[in-house]
Every structure is written in structure tokens, then in C-alpha cells.
Amino acid sequence: AVKQKSNNDNSPRVTLEAKVVDKRSASYRHHTPNSHLSHRHYYHYVNFELQDGQRTELRVDRIDFDSLCVADEGMLTLQGTRFISFERKGGVAH
């Protein structure tokens, strides 16, 4: 994770035409050592299809996950494997 963060930090920001083709969430339970407490963590992923047909799955924040819909088209900005933003064509949500 530290190496990937460094790679992303050193990558240029790129903006590409893309389409949302899938969304998924994953969760895991984290147990605190020496305690009966546990926490559930959620991760949200969006699969984008780029203009050249290549697909990439990016982890996104919950607010972005909730606002994106499958079939949304627009401009995807990323930095390495880090999602930065997605701006819909016309700026209208489905």
C-alpha cells in the first residue's frame, strides 16, 4: 500500500473519456487486539471503460460511489491508480 501510494503520488494526473460499466462494494471486519471490539470497513469500487475499450477498476469514496450510475459517460481524472474525479457529460446524474 505504501509503494502504491508513492507510485500514485509520482504519477501525472490524466483525464480520459470513460463510461461507468459496473460498481461493487466490499467489506471486512477488523478486530481490535486485546479487545472484544470490532469495526466493519467498507470499500467502494467503480469499473470504468475507457475510450480505447480498456477497463480499469478504481476505489472511490462513498459519496462518489453513490453519485455514479452504470452507463454514466464523461471525463475520468485519475493519478496512477487513484481516482480523482468523474465529470458526467452534461453534468446530469441518472
Side-chain angles (χ1 to χ4, degrees):
V2 172
K3 184 177 179 182
Q4 186 62 55
K5 181 186 179 319
S6 176
N7 287 343
N8 287 341
D9 290 345
N10 292 312
S11 295
R13 285 191 179 195
V14 178
T15 300
L16 307 162
E17 285 188 45
K19 179 179 180 178
V20 176
V21 293
D22 198 16
K23 295 170 50 171
R24 71 180 180 91
S25 293
S27 68
Y28 77 92
R29 187 175 301 259
H30 172 75
H31 295 279
T32 305
N34 302 321
S35 172
H36 295 288
L37 299 175
S38 68
H39 303 280
R40 183 166 297 278
H41 296 273
Y42 293 91
Y43 292 106
H44 307 286
Y45 301 90
V46 177
N47 193 305
F48 295 94
E49 183 175 304
L50 307 178
Q51 187 176 18
D52 64 3
Q54 181 181 346
R55 291 188 177 198
T56 185
E57 184 176 67
L58 302 173
R59 191 169 126 193
V60 301
D61 290 335
R62 172 75 187 260
I63 193 163
D64 294 308
F65 183 83
D66 288 344
S67 70
L68 293 171
C69 298
V70 171
D72 279 349
E73 295 181 10
M75 301 304 291
L76 169 66
T77 301
L78 51 92
Q79 185 176 20
T81 61
R82 181 184 299 143
F83 173 87
I84 302 297
S85 65
F86 184 81
E87 186 174 332
R88 280 180 202 83
K89 287 184 182 175
V92 179
H94 288 107

